Amino acid sequence: MPERDHSAAIGPIYLRVRDHIADQIEQGLLQPNSRLPSERVLAESNNTTRVTARLALAQLEAEGRIYRSNRRGWFVSPPRLVYNPTEDYSFSENVMAQGRTPATETLEVTPTEVTAWLASKTGLAEGDSLVRLRRRRQVDGRPVLVENIYLNARRLPGIERFDFNRSLWKLLREHYGLELVRKQIEMFPTALIDPQAEALGVTAGTAGLYVTRCSRDQDGCFVEFDEEFWLHDTLSIQVEVG
Amino acid sequence: MPERDHSAAIGPIYLRVRDHIADQIEQGLLQPNSRLPSERVLAESNNTTRVTARLALAQLEAEGRIYRSNRRGWFVSPPRLVYNPTEDYSFSENVMAQGRTPATETLEVTPTEVTAWLASKTGLAEGDSLVRLRRRRQVDGRPVLVENIYLNARRLPGIERFDFNRSLWKLLREHYGLELVRKQIEMFPTALIDPQAEALGVTAGTAGLYVTRCSRDQDGCFVEFDEEFWLHDTLSIQVEVG
DNA sequence: AAGTGGTCTAGACCACCAC
DNA sequence: TGGTGGTCTAGACCACTTG
């Protein structure tokens, strides 16, 4: 983590409120996943208004130190999940290896076609058939990402009949003898808007990280395009190279 | 880019204002780096108040579609810079290859020592000597990142005497015969706070991407630890893996 | 000097959640 | 039903940038 500037108590009210709460979190007075005082209480105890209290909370949310649960309150963010998108991996195993509890829900499995946008990403021709898979994944009961996966139906006959609440990468290996070669990974910070915000139970505009991966087999044949929408405070990307 | 939900005009005012502005940007009515109408004008033309207009602007900012320049106004974000942190590379060359104009300013060069935090990152012992380098980098005149670089003074004798407004990677190669081996890369979205926010001329709490890289030579000897603070709307990470 | 965003007040009503 | 955040109003003064 970048080191925090612990100097000067001067400046806007909302920054002083922010630092006050941040200190309580650092000192362990507020434990991960515990609830903060309500906005009205924070406003009153800092002799200010709700608007200003919300400015302070928005700062901490942007830093990834707290998160909100729709109309239930503000909570202290637990440590970020370490994630290496360059590796074939099992979400569940990765989460458990970090002492957390994973869960996966399959929201949708639909046959679909390559759109112009997907054609540019995959190199397939527009209209080629795909299977679209939409999943939500949780860590310790909190949804942390939704993903849209587009599978090459021609390359993976019968794929739509499997149980997708397990590791897709293992399924491809065991049933199709595939070793995936991750070809292109792209990611950037952006806001989560509907329908992703809704699926995650957060307000539109919540900060997120958008990650895509385009995978091929050993022959360069397109297998899978994966589009992930993460809540921004839930992950730390870590990659080793060289 | 994730595909946008272009449905339903129902819902909160600020989301309708957001979508209205977003459409204007997509249709090219508002060009990259051009100024949006002022908050007061946006409020009035949408029959609402400044607070609500600012909510809409905050949404677009979180998506990375607009950015603000301190007390000057809101501007349309230009395309994201494509960046591959796994490669040794020259910032300037990368920016120019994408048809943009780079600039680098060296803010600070100071001898310093390994702190507990740096020791955990680098494997050096606390108190070992380092050279700390702080730089700000711009694209088309807009600052997009500040970075703190910690160089192994023992491994790089005389390093403090060089001109740091050029490619550090080339300097290490040409003057020390070093090929860097990027060992560990870490990144996550977080807010930019002081002193980074100040160096970039943005308000505290602006969304950013924090990237660190720890590099070693062929013998595994620590050479450089790099800590970058990017404005979140300015970059797209793209990595290819084998 | 005029205009901009930055900060702040003091309220209000609504939708949703837990009890 | 009472408490939570979500949304919204109608102002105000300040700090800074620009002409």
Side-chain angles (χ1 to χ4, degrees):
Chain A
M1 275 147 295
E3 283 169 336
R4 207 181 171 77
D5 189 356
H6 272 279
S7 58
I10 58 166
I13 298 172
Y14 73 93
L15 291 184
R16 284 192 278 114
V17 176
R18 173 196 73 177
D19 291 340
H20 182 235
I21 299 173
D23 285 346
Q24 290 180 295
I25 293 173
E26 267 171 35
Q27 290 166 24
L29 299 178
L30 291 166
Q31 289 291 314
N33 292 312
S34 69
R35 233 202 77 194
L36 270 64
S38 78
E39 295 177 358
R40 288 167 177 85
V41 169
L42 284 171
E44 195 165 3
S45 64
N46 287 282
N47 295 307
T48 183
T49 62
R50 243 186 100 198
V51 173
T52 302
R54 276 172 71 83
L55 271 182
L57 293 167
Q59 291 272 326
L60 294 162
E61 184 186 37
E63 287 181 46
R65 305 171 77 97
I66 65 175
Y67 66 93
R68 50 183 123 183
S69 179
N70 217 346
R71 284 172 225 270
R72 290 203 315 122
W74 295 85
F75 298 82
V76 177
S77 296
R80 292 172 187 266
L81 194 72
V82 173
Y83 173 43
N84 182 345
T86 67
E87 283 182 2
D88 284 338
Y89 90 128
S90 156
F91 175 82
S92 297
E93 286 176 9
N94 183 40
V95 172
M96 286 188 289
Q98 294 177 51
R100 319 280 288 268
T101 304
T104 298
E105 301 155 273
T106 300
L107 305 178
E108 189 190 326
V109 183
T110 359
T112 182
E113 292 184 354
V114 174
T115 61
W117 175 69
L118 281 166
S120 75
K121 294 288 182 183
T122 62
L124 294 185
E126 269 188 72
D128 279 359
S129 47
L130 297 172
V131 171
R132 179 186 139 113
L133 176 57
R134 186 165 166 81
R135 299 194 292 195
R136 172 171 46 212
R137 316 198 96 157
Q138 305 183 1
V139 173
D140 294 337
R142 180 186 177 203
V144 297
L145 76 98
V146 287
E147 61 181 349
N148 297 321
I149 300 176
Y150 298 92
L151 295 155
N152 188 339
R154 192 168 323 220
R155 181 69 182 77
L156 304 166
I159 187 72
E160 67 280 0
R161 288 195 305 271
F162 287 99
D163 168 19
F164 292 111
N165 287 344
R166 54 182 301 248
S167 168
L168 187 57
W169 151 69
K170 284 187 183 170
L171 190 158
L172 295 179
R173 191 181 58 185
E174 290 164 15
H175 289 270
Y176 295 93
L178 269 172
E179 284 304 323
L180 287 188
V181 180
R182 298 289 178 198
K183 269 294 186 196
Q184 294 139 338
I185 296 172
E186 178 176 5
M187 59 187 133
F188 55 83
T190 190
L192 301 174
I193 59 180
D194 286 336
Q196 282 73 38
E198 194 190 7
L200 292 170
V202 298
T203 333
T206 298
L209 188 70
Y210 176 67
V211 182
T212 68
R213 293 182 294 177
C214 188
S215 305
R216 300 165 189 281
D217 66 16
Q218 294 92 328
D219 303 327
C221 178
F222 168 75
V223 174
E224 177 215 353
F225 181 76
D226 182 11
E227 193 188 22
E228 303 175 347
F229 300 86
W230 289 78
L231 290 173
H232 88 301
D233 66 321
T234 61
L235 84 168
S236 177
I237 305 275
Q238 290 185 24
V239 178
E240 302 246 341
V241 277
Chain B
M1 274 147 297
E3 283 168 338
R4 207 180 173 77
D5 190 356
H6 271 279
S7 58
I10 57 168
I13 297 173
Y14 72 93
L15 291 184
R16 285 192 279 114
V17 175
R18 174 196 72 178
D19 291 340
H20 182 234
I21 299 173
D23 285 346
Q24 290 180 296
I25 293 173
E26 266 172 35
Q27 291 167 23
L29 299 177
L30 291 166
Q31 288 290 313
N33 292 311
S34 69
R35 233 202 77 194
L36 271 65
S38 78
E39 295 177 358
R40 287 166 179 84
V41 169
L42 285 172
E44 195 165 3
S45 65
N46 288 280
N47 294 308
T48 184
T49 61
R50 244 186 97 197
V51 174
T52 302
R54 276 172 72 82
L55 272 182
L57 293 167
Q59 291 271 327
L60 294 161
E61 183 186 37
E63 287 181 44
R65 304 171 76 97
I66 65 174
Y67 65 94
R68 52 183 120 184
S69 181
N70 216 346
R71 283 172 227 270
R72 291 202 314 121
W74 295 85
F75 298 82
V76 178
S77 296
R80 293 171 186 266
L81 195 72
V82 174
Y83 174 42
N84 183 344
T86 67
E87 283 181 3
D88 284 337
Y89 90 128
S90 156
F91 175 82
S92 297
E93 287 174 10
N94 183 40
V95 172
M96 286 188 290
Q98 295 177 51
R100 320 279 289 268
T101 304
T104 298
E105 301 155 272
T106 300
L107 305 177
E108 190 189 326
V109 183
T110 1
T112 182
E113 291 184 353
V114 175
T115 60
W117 175 70
L118 280 166
S120 75
K121 295 287 182 185
T122 63
L124 294 184
E126 269 188 72
D128 279 359
S129 46
L130 297 172
V131 171
R132 178 185 140 113
L133 176 56
R134 186 165 166 81
R135 299 195 292 196
R136 172 170 48 210
R137 315 198 97 156
Q138 306 183 1
V139 173
D140 295 338
R142 179 186 177 204
V144 296
L145 75 99
V146 287
E147 62 181 347
N148 297 321
I149 300 175
Y150 298 91
L151 295 155
N152 188 338
R154 193 167 322 220
R155 180 67 183 79
L156 305 165
I159 187 71
E160 68 281 358
R161 288 194 306 272
F162 287 100
D163 168 19
F164 292 111
N165 287 345
R166 52 182 304 245
S167 167
L168 186 57
W169 151 67
K170 284 187 183 171
L171 189 158
L172 295 178
R173 191 181 58 184
E174 290 164 15
H175 289 270
Y176 296 93
L178 268 173
E179 284 305 324
L180 287 187
V181 181
R182 298 290 179 198
K183 270 295 186 196
Q184 294 139 339
I185 297 173
E186 177 176 4
M187 58 188 136
F188 55 83
T190 190
L192 301 173
I193 58 180
D194 285 338
Q196 282 74 36
E198 194 190 5
L200 292 170
V202 298
T203 356
T206 298
L209 187 71
Y210 177 67
V211 182
T212 68
R213 293 182 293 177
C214 188
S215 305
R216 299 165 191 283
D217 66 15
Q218 294 91 329
D219 302 327
C221 178
F222 168 75
V223 175
E224 176 215 354
F225 180 76
D226 182 11
E227 192 188 23
E228 303 174 347
F229 301 85
W230 290 77
L231 290 174
H232 87 301
D233 66 321
T234 61
L235 84 168
S236 176
I237 306 275
Q238 291 185 23
V239 178
E240 302 246 343
V241 278

